[in-house]
Amino acid sequence: MEFRVLGPIDVRERGRDITPSAPKQRQVLALLMAKANHRVSVPALLDEVWDGEPPRTATTALQTYIGAIRKALAAATGTGARAVADHRLVTDGNGYVLRLQPEEWDRPRFERLVLDARSLLERREAQAAVDVLGEALAMWRGAPFCNVRPGSRLTAQARVLNEAHLAACEARIDALLLCRRFQEAVGEAVALVGDHPYHENLHTQLMRALYASGRRAAALDVYQSLHHRMTDDLGIPPSPTTTTLHHVMLQDRPDQRYLAAAGAGALL
């Protein structure tokens, strides 16, 4: 079976979609998938599905949802609901555990690829890191849990996954800069800056990529936009690291060693 959380939740058996269509069943399964191989308590599931205000019949309804999910998994795999209850969707005290093998779901594979890419970057094998990170990011199909009405727990799980996605995107831009693929780095950084207007590292990555592409004025404009946005909206200036990069880029004879270390000195 295949369980996917890097986008809308999706459960497949031999390519056939068996994701529950009933909204509350899908919500229960989404939280179990988000916490796969860990116990999710009944109170946590009730709180997620009924926004902290479960009716008196909620526990019975939850048992019905679990039973329906087990039956769907059993029917898809040609096994019995009892076998699913014993080995796949297991009752654990006052809670449930969805047992998944690493090869059955997308999250561990994504995390493993990102770790491999970071190791490649540490060894300065930038081109290989670009390829591995591209493979990892290609696994994403949209916003996590976007086909589920999220409660507080799924919202937190989505935030964790989105942060992991953003970190992988940043690592890929760094790898592109090391490969001197500056235009590609510009394209990827521009899209991310638009989505994260206060994220300094993304702005410095875009500055570096533009500067290394020979677009000094555009790189300086990125800093000015960030500076105005942060001071006007947040009341704070950019960090010393960002400010230092800006000052170096202002110089007609910039510090070559600094720019090289920042990934922006290739054309100077």
Side-chain angles (χ1 to χ4, degrees):
M1 298 190 76
E2 184 180 10
F3 296 78
R4 301 194 292 179
V5 297
L6 303 182
I9 69 159
D10 185 51
V11 183
R12 293 181 179 269
E13 170 62 18
R14 300 180 187 273
R16 184 165 62 90
D17 186 1
I18 59 169
T19 311
S21 59
K24 283 186 168 57
Q25 285 184 35
R26 193 161 59 230
Q27 198 173 5
V28 168
L29 181 58
L31 186 55
L32 291 168
M33 288 170 64
K35 302 285 289 182
N37 299 317
H38 293 84
R39 178 177 172 273
V40 182
S41 70
V42 167
L45 287 162
L46 297 179
D47 182 68
E48 178 68 25
V49 175
W50 282 279
D51 293 326
E53 298 181 358
R56 286 181 299 174
T57 59
T59 300
T60 300
L62 176 62
Q63 292 170 347
T64 301
Y65 301 152
I66 293 292
I69 294 168
R70 283 170 169 163
K71 287 179 182 177
L73 296 176
T77 55
T79 59
R82 183 72 261 168
V84 173
D86 288 341
H87 303 291
R88 175 69 78 183
L89 180 46
V90 180
T91 302
D92 183 0
N94 190 32
Y96 301 95
V97 179
L98 180 64
R99 293 178 178 170
L100 301 182
Q101 297 300 316
E103 66 274 10
E104 291 182 309
W105 60 318
D106 52 359
R107 184 174 180 176
R109 175 167 171 74
F110 168 77
E111 293 172 342
R112 184 170 63 253
L113 288 170
V114 173
L115 284 175
D116 290 346
R118 293 192 183 282
S119 296
L120 290 166
L121 277 173
E122 290 176 1
R123 299 197 298 270
R124 311 295 284 186
E125 298 179 37
Q127 184 55 63
V130 167
D131 294 340
V132 172
L133 286 165
E135 181 181 354
L137 291 168
M139 297 174 63
W140 285 73
R141 298 166 292 110
F145 313 119
C146 62
N147 60 339
V148 178
R149 186 186 66 79
S152 60
R153 286 171 173 79
L154 275 179
T155 297
Q157 289 295 317
R159 189 177 300 119
V160 169
L161 289 173
N162 283 326
E163 287 294 330
H165 178 266
L166 180 58
C169 290
E170 291 178 78
R172 180 173 159 86
I173 294 171
D174 280 336
L176 287 169
L177 288 168
L178 286 172
C179 291
R180 302 170 62 89
R181 293 165 61 177
F182 304 126
Q183 293 299 331
E184 292 175 69
V186 168
E188 297 194 14
V190 164
L192 291 168
V193 162
D195 291 335
H196 304 277
Y198 303 103
H199 196 302
E200 285 197 53
N201 187 55
L202 292 175
H203 283 78
T204 59
Q205 287 183 316
L206 179 55
M207 290 169 63
R208 290 157 52 197
L210 287 166
Y211 194 93
S213 301
R215 300 170 62 186
R216 179 185 181 191
L220 296 174
D221 281 345
V222 170
Y223 175 82
Q224 291 300 330
S225 295
L226 174 66
H227 185 276
H228 290 316
R229 193 179 302 116
M230 291 186 66
T231 53
D232 291 348
D233 297 351
L234 306 179
I236 57 173
S239 69
T241 299
T242 306
T243 302
T244 299
L245 179 61
H246 174 247
H247 286 165
V248 171
M249 289 182 174
L250 282 171
Q251 307 305 312
D252 290 333
R253 294 178 178 271
D255 185 327
Q256 297 293 316
R257 288 175 298 177
Y258 177 88
L259 287 172
L267 298 187
L268 302 176

